[in-house]
């Protein structure tokens, strides 16, 4: 036996599905927005610096694709065992390695030997710094999302999500315009 549905019951069903979808999307977007706001405020208030791990030199303690939150720390406050991000020799490249030896401090600068946890040998050059970002928190896999959001595909996805959010907020189905559902 075939049951037909009237146009008004189909409209009512569409309205219910729409409002459930709208509630879920708005809740997810609100959570993402709140988390982003907390990270932004935390970064501004505490001087946190986000960095993405792109090599395996610190595995298994810090995996490729992790997001590091680091705080700028004076060289005299750094200790053996701290994970810091410093320039690799005379290059522009940054490396995040563990301090394995402190050679000495003069005035405001300290000299350190660093080493990646996965590396056999210490780094070839000592690091001399006044301050360096010291690892505060590691968020595994989050760095992949950060890197992806910087691509064209990621930006298009974010723009599409914003457009969907705008449509869900503005659009109200015809069956609900009278205030009844």
């Amino acid at each position: 036996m075939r049951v037909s549905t009237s146009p008004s019951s189909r409209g009512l069903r569409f309205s219910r599905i729409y409002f459930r979808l709208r509630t879920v999307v708005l809740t997810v977007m609100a959570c993402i927005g709140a988390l982003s706001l907390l990270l932004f405020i935390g970064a501004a208030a505490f001087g946190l610096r986000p960095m993405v791990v792109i090599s395996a030199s610190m595995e298994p303690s810090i995996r490729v694709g992790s997001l590091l939150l680091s705080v700028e720390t004076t060289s005299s406050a750094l200790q053996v065992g701290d994970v810091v991000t410093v320039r690799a020799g005379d290059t522009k490249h940054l490396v995040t390695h563990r301090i394995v030896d402190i050679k000495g401090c003069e005035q405001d600068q300290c000299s350190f030997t660093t080493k990646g946890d996965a590396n056999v040998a210490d780094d070839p050059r000592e690091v001399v710094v006044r301050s360096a970002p010291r690892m505060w928190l590691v968020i595994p896999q989050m760095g992949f999302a950060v890197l992806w959001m910087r691509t064209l595909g990621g930006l298009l996805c974010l723009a599409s999500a914003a457009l969907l959010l705008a449509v869900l907020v503005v659009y109200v189905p015809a069956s609900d315009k009278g205030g009844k559902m």
Side-chain angles (χ1 to χ4, degrees), residues 49 54 85-96 125:
R49 182 174 169 186
I54 59 171
T85 302
V86 292
R87 298 236 175 261
D90 294 333
T91 69
K92 295 180 187 178
H93 301 291
L94 296 175
V95 294
T96 300
R125 296 191 179 170

Side-chain angles (χ1 to χ4, degrees), residues 9 24 36 46 48 57 77 85 106 112-114 117 136 139 151 154 166:
S9 67
V24 168
S36 298
F46 300 109
L48 297 178
S57 66
T85 302
E106 290 182 19
F112 303 104
T113 301
T114 56
D117 290 354
W136 180 70
I139 306 172
T151 66

Side-chain angles (χ1 to χ4, degrees), residues 4 14 17 21 28 36 51 82 89 92 98-99 129 160 178:
S4 67
F14 171 76
I17 292 170
L21 175 65
V28 168
S36 298
M51 291 176 254
D82 286 343
K92 295 180 187 178
R98 192 174 306 278
I99 297 174
V129 295
S160 299

Side-chain angles (χ1 to χ4, degrees), residues 109-128:
Q109 294 183 340
C110 291
S111 176
F112 303 104
T113 301
T114 56
K115 176 183 174 293
D117 290 354
N119 297 346
V120 176
D122 294 346
D123 295 339
R125 296 191 179 170
E126 289 181 9
V127 177
V128 179

Side-chain angles (χ1 to χ4, degrees), residues 50-151:
M51 291 176 254
V52 178
V53 176
I54 59 171
S55 76
S57 66
M58 287 298 292
E59 287 193 350
S61 57
I62 304 172
R63 300 217 178 262
V64 172
S66 295
L67 178 67
L68 297 181
L69 295 178
S70 299
V71 63
E72 194 69 27
T73 306
T74 61
S75 59
S76 60
L78 295 172
Q79 301 174 2
V80 171
D82 286 343
V83 176
V84 295
T85 302
V86 292
R87 298 236 175 261
D90 294 333
T91 69
K92 295 180 187 178
H93 301 291
L94 296 175
V95 294
T96 300
H97 283 174
R98 192 174 306 278
I99 297 174
V100 293
D101 190 24
I102 299 174
K103 299 294 184 183
C105 296
E106 290 182 19
Q107 298 169 355
D108 293 340
Q109 294 183 340
C110 291
S111 176
F112 303 104
T113 301
T114 56
K115 176 183 174 293
D117 290 354
N119 297 346
V120 176
D122 294 346
D123 295 339
R125 296 191 179 170
E126 289 181 9
V127 177
V128 179
V129 295
R130 292 183 190 278
S131 67
R134 178 175 51 192
M135 183 183 70
W136 180 70
L137 177 69
V138 177
I139 306 172
Q141 306 296 315
M142 185 59 75
F144 289 127
V146 170
L147 292 176
W148 175 76
M149 283 189 280
R150 295 176 63 186
T151 66

Side-chain angles (χ1 to χ4, degrees), residues 14-26:
F14 171 76
S15 290
R16 286 184 182 150
I17 292 170
Y18 168 79
F19 282 107
R20 284 185 184 145
L21 175 65
R22 178 181 173 174
T23 301
V24 168
V25 170
L26 290 175

Side-chain angles (χ1 to χ4, degrees), residues 25-26 29 32 154-168:
V25 170
L26 290 175
M29 295 298 259
I32 291 171
L155 291 173
L156 289 174
C157 187
L158 289 174
S160 299
L163 182 62
L164 174 64
L165 182 62
V167 167
L168 289 174

